[in-house]
Amino acid sequence: MSPSILLLLGLGLGLAGWLAARARAWNFRRDIRNEGKGGRLAALPSYHAWYVALWIVLPVLVFAIAWSFLAPQLVTGWVLSDPAAAGLPHFGFERRAILDEAASVALGSAPGVFNPLAEGLVEPYRLAFAKVRWIGIAATLVIGFLGGASAFLRLRPEFTARTRVERTIMTVLLMASLVAILTTLGILVSLVFETIRFFGMVSPLDFLLGTHWGPDPMGNPLNPDPSRYGAIPLFWGTIYIGAIIAMFVAIPLGLMSAIFLTQYASPRWRSVLKPALEILAGVPTVVYGYFAALTVAPAIRDAAQAIGIANASSESGLAAGLVMGVMIIPFVSSMADDSIAAVPQAMRDGSLAMGATTSETIRRVLIPAALPGIVAGVMLAISRAIGETMIVVMAAGAAANLTANPLEAMTTVTFQIVAMLTGEGSFDHPATLSAFALGFVLFLVTLALNFFALRVVKRFREAYE
Amino acid sequence: MVTTLPATATMLPESELSDPQSGLIPKMSARSVSVYYGAKQAVDDVSIDIQTKYVTAFIGPSGCGKSTFLRALNRMNDTIPGARVDGEIMLDGEDIYRSGMDVVHLRARVGMVFQKPNPFPKSIYENIAYGPRIHGLAEGKAELDAIVEKSLRRAGLWEEVKDRLADSGTALSGGQQQRLCIARAIAVDPEVILMDEPCSALDPIATAKIEELIDELRGRYAIVIVTHSMQQAARVSQRTAFFHLGKMVEYGKTSDIFTNPREERTKDYITGRYG
């Protein structure tokens, strides 16, 4: 039972409605012409057509989305009320597995049952699926027909279909923009539940203030040792690598290359350099990881040893941070490039005509005016850097050291999330759940960072219009 | 088509009579100047002398090259890719296009006011202080304050803004913004001020104020103004040059150009036959 059948049905009905409404509107038009008193339709026939079509397709779309969530619940409910379901184990993996097996056999995607208990459930599933399918199709037809008919009956020569269609389009666009926001909320909510579970086992204070990280996935899940769940080394590693070392590389280089590209480069240089810079953004991070681990990290270790630092590690925060900085140069430079180029030529001319040099103009006029875009680019780059995992996995090591020495191995939040989720602990073990808490706090940190940056920009920006 | 200026004292405005040098040595002079944008020629063989203490107006229909020629006078065309200038333009007898000419210094001596007011998105004070700061004209805050006040006074804006120097320059009205831009240009103490249709974005009252200001400033600077409005040229200028299709058709005393033009094309334009 897939919603695509319902959607196709809706589109078919919509097309019928479109054609019928257009024919009706053409009739109105002919009648008006025949009367010969002048006057005309309040909207073009095609708007009448779109009005009716939208009234058919949109309700069907809403129904299809709702139905695709509702239908599986209905199916499960019906199957469980069947007497054959009485013998199922009460919960856990086995019950789920048996149900899934019966369902896939009923859908024809598996050849036969493995578990004898599933055998009796195949037939109820088959019936339930058929029932859901027919209900869905019938409901689609009814909804599409009702929507279409009510719209069709409203058509009059003086009906302002054009403004109605405009309003509907606006609503659709609004919904589309809400999807992204709702998804973010959904992510947050799903994180919150697991985080609360984790904080039920390990106190948030131990988590946020502890300085030792070393969860034991094999330990007793009911009595975790809170002193092993101190996340500070992870957050420090994240900030140090992503927001400090990487930014030391990315902000100056990104900004300077943006300034060169917008202000000094000839069109020919620009046409070569800009795409080349943007390629950097397209390199898979795992490739950067190789580069960091195999080239940069050993080079840094050798250099450190050469100047007499004996205990330099072959995995270091510095190597990861430097390579990460190079990776995010395009984020900084392309946003800065766009916003510097968007400063009106009149500002530049004004400054140059005062006898300012190009670099004075850039420093004193262009950059202050382009600040919001530049900061937005930097924020994007920081978010990208602290969410980056692959380079850290390969070059920074896995040791949760709380240190300011960039030559030591360190680890980050994202790396630990991966390590905990792919570890050997069961799903409800605090070590695994700690991944959600880490993700949640990381989310809040990024959010706070963005909020803070917006405030700063508002305060210091020089608005030119 | 070079028109030498009559140097007789009777031609000069009364205020200049005491200055024996006035009108004799041109502040700027252009000889056979042509400007190209890529392959397109925008200005064709223009020669002109610009006197200090005069307002010189460039008039002519759109696209006649008057703005382009104006921008050649302080090398603002340098910022346009593909722009090229032939001929020579002298400032106090020095060719401004010679190699080794310091463009930054030139633009401090030949200031410019643009068509659309373009104050920087900074405070009123910072807008004026910008030029003196980059050229190091002031030692210390007190001197800078004095320059800011003097420039704003000369631009007739001081009384209106003296209590809100910290407000953004972009918050002013259009006419005030344009006077701010004039004050900004004055602040570096230029010798020539170029104005590219400075009133075309302003309402009649703001325009009248700018024209009054131009008249007051004339005593100190050589002013060149490009304008679309012939009434404006007649009101504010003492010398007028008429441009058409990239050439300078006629140049002379404003009163002569408007009442007794020598060229047929000038007459047609003045009387509204085209343009």
Side-chain angles (χ1 to χ4, degrees), chain A residues 205-289:
Chain A
L205 284 180
D206 289 326
F207 178 73
L208 291 175
L209 301 177
T211 54
H212 172 66
W213 180 262
D216 176 14
M218 295 292 108
N220 178 4
L222 296 178
N223 185 23
D225 176 6
S227 70
R228 306 183 67 137
Y229 286 92
I232 283 192
L234 306 188
F235 284 101
W236 168 246
T238 303
I239 305 276
Y240 196 48
I241 295 179
I244 299 178
I245 300 178
M247 288 305 135
F248 259 104
V249 178
I251 294 177
L253 289 181
L255 210 52
M256 286 193 272
S257 52
I259 289 169
F260 176 74
L261 286 175
T262 52
Q263 304 301 320
Y264 292 97
S266 70
R268 248 187 55 213
W269 265 104
R270 192 178 153 84
S271 70
V272 175
L273 282 181
K274 204 168 149 65
L277 204 58
E278 274 156 9
I279 287 175
L280 279 182
V283 176
T285 57
V286 67
V287 175
Y288 279 111

Side-chain angles (χ1 to χ4, degrees), chain A residues 267 344-358 360-365 368-369 461-465, chain B residues 71 74 76 79 103-104 107-108 110-112 114 116 118-122 130-131 133-135 168 170 184-185 188:
Chain A
Q345 180 68 22
M347 293 292 130
R348 252 188 94 198
D349 282 352
S351 174
L352 293 174
M354 299 288 304
T357 61
T358 310
E360 282 165 343
T361 303
I362 292 165
R363 230 175 31 241
R364 291 166 180 258
V365 176
R461 78 174 291 200
E462 295 187 340
Y464 44 80
E465 211 76 63
Chain B
R71 289 171 66 95
N74 71 342
M76 279 303 282
T79 63
V103 181
V104 166
R107 290 185 190 143
V110 184
M112 189 160 199
F114 295 85
K116 199 169 158 262
N118 60 346
F120 300 130
K122 301 176 183 294
Y130 184 82
R133 280 221 176 101
I134 57 177
H135 295 297
S168 173
T170 50
R184 187 174 72 183
V188 292

Side-chain angles (χ1 to χ4, degrees), chain A residues 355-415:
Chain A
T357 61
T358 310
S359 72
E360 282 165 343
T361 303
I362 292 165
R363 230 175 31 241
R364 291 166 180 258
V365 176
L366 295 185
I367 290 189
L371 197 64
I374 294 170
V375 174
V378 170
M379 293 316 299
L380 186 69
I382 292 183
S383 311
R384 185 65 211 272
I386 65 181
E388 168 52 37
T389 319
M390 217 58 220
I391 295 175
V392 186
V393 170
M394 298 175 79
N401 291 327
L402 182 57
T403 171
N405 177 1
L407 297 174
E408 269 187 57
M410 49 180 76
T411 187
T412 66
V413 173
T414 49
F415 176 50

Side-chain angles (χ1 to χ4, degrees), chain A residues 140-354:
Chain A
T140 302
L141 287 174
V142 170
I143 289 170
F145 186 76
L146 284 181
S150 70
F152 192 79
L153 291 177
R154 253 172 275 160
L155 299 186
R156 297 273 181 281
E158 67 277 8
F159 182 70
T160 53
R162 200 169 161 202
T163 44
R164 305 288 182 105
V165 169
E166 191 66 25
R167 236 177 290 161
T168 320
I169 287 174
M170 196 204 75
T171 318
V172 170
L173 294 179
L174 177 71
M175 294 298 161
S177 60
L178 284 182
V179 168
I181 297 169
L182 290 178
T183 311
T184 316
L185 278 182
I187 293 173
L188 192 59
V189 168
S190 70
L191 278 176
V192 164
F193 280 113
E194 306 297 338
T195 306
I196 290 172
R197 272 179 77 190
F198 173 72
F199 283 147
M201 303 175 196
V202 175
S203 138
L205 284 180
D206 289 326
F207 178 73
L208 291 175
L209 301 177
T211 54
H212 172 66
W213 180 262
D216 176 14
M218 295 292 108
N220 178 4
L222 296 178
N223 185 23
D225 176 6
S227 70
R228 306 183 67 137
Y229 286 92
I232 283 192
L234 306 188
F235 284 101
W236 168 246
T238 303
I239 305 276
Y240 196 48
I241 295 179
I244 299 178
I245 300 178
M247 288 305 135
F248 259 104
V249 178
I251 294 177
L253 289 181
L255 210 52
M256 286 193 272
S257 52
I259 289 169
F260 176 74
L261 286 175
T262 52
Q263 304 301 320
Y264 292 97
S266 70
R268 248 187 55 213
W269 265 104
R270 192 178 153 84
S271 70
V272 175
L273 282 181
K274 204 168 149 65
L277 204 58
E278 274 156 9
I279 287 175
L280 279 182
V283 176
T285 57
V286 67
V287 175
Y288 279 111
Y290 282 133
F291 178 62
L294 299 181
T295 312
V296 179
I300 286 174
R301 184 199 52 206
D302 295 346
Q305 279 167 352
I307 59 167
I309 302 167
N311 63 345
S313 151
S314 65
E315 291 177 322
S316 65
L318 186 61
L322 289 180
V323 173
M324 205 184 269
V326 172
M327 180 189 84
I328 56 184
I329 286 174
F331 289 83
V332 178
S333 79
S334 81
M335 290 282 276
D337 186 328
D338 290 347
S339 57
I340 290 174
V343 176
Q345 180 68 22
M347 293 292 130
R348 252 188 94 198
D349 282 352
S351 174
L352 293 174
M354 299 288 304

